[in-house]
Amino acid sequence: MQLDLSRWKHFTAMAIIGDGVMGMIQPTRTAKAWHYGPEPWKNLMQSLEDRPNLTRLISAAQVVGGILWVLHSSREDVTAKTPVKIDEARRRLA
């Protein structure tokens, strides 16, 4: 079975963007949702829960980063799937 990497990239980007949107809308609730894990992580999430504006800022950056990742990876996918025409390349070089 062959994995379609572009599909997984797209799915991951959607999750990142969605989590960022939720963090902007409900920053305290979003930080509470991530309270599980190692102690340093829990401490970080507690501090983000106490600072909703910082959580919103990080979430906005997360949304922008996810969108840029999608745009960049889709550009790579298009160029990788575009066949190279040797005749046209020769004309441009000449």
Side-chain angles (χ1 to χ4, degrees):
M1 183 174 127
Q2 185 177 356
L3 295 175
D4 185 6
L5 187 58
S6 65
R7 180 176 286 173
W8 282 105
K9 285 181 190 178
H10 186 78
F11 175 76
T12 304
M14 285 190 322
I16 290 170
I17 293 167
D19 184 56
V21 170
M22 291 303 299
M24 288 188 298
I25 295 170
Q26 293 183 326
T28 305
R29 185 174 178 188
T30 300
K32 280 183 184 178
W34 291 100
H35 269 245
Y36 305 101
E39 200 60 38
W41 181 259
K42 288 180 187 179
N43 293 338
L44 174 64
M45 291 301 113
Q46 180 62 48
S47 67
L48 288 175
E49 185 180 337
D50 297 338
R51 296 175 182 88
N53 288 331
L54 177 60
T55 304
R56 283 188 181 102
L57 178 67
I58 292 169
S59 297
Q62 187 175 343
V63 170
V64 170
I67 291 170
L68 290 175
W69 184 30
V70 167
L71 293 174
H72 179 72
S73 66
S74 65
R75 190 179 320 136
E76 286 178 348
D77 292 342
V78 168
T79 57
K81 292 178 183 177
T82 304
V84 177
K85 294 183 180 180
I86 297 173
D87 293 335
E88 288 181 13
R90 287 183 190 164
R91 283 187 222 152
R92 283 187 227 153
L93 293 174

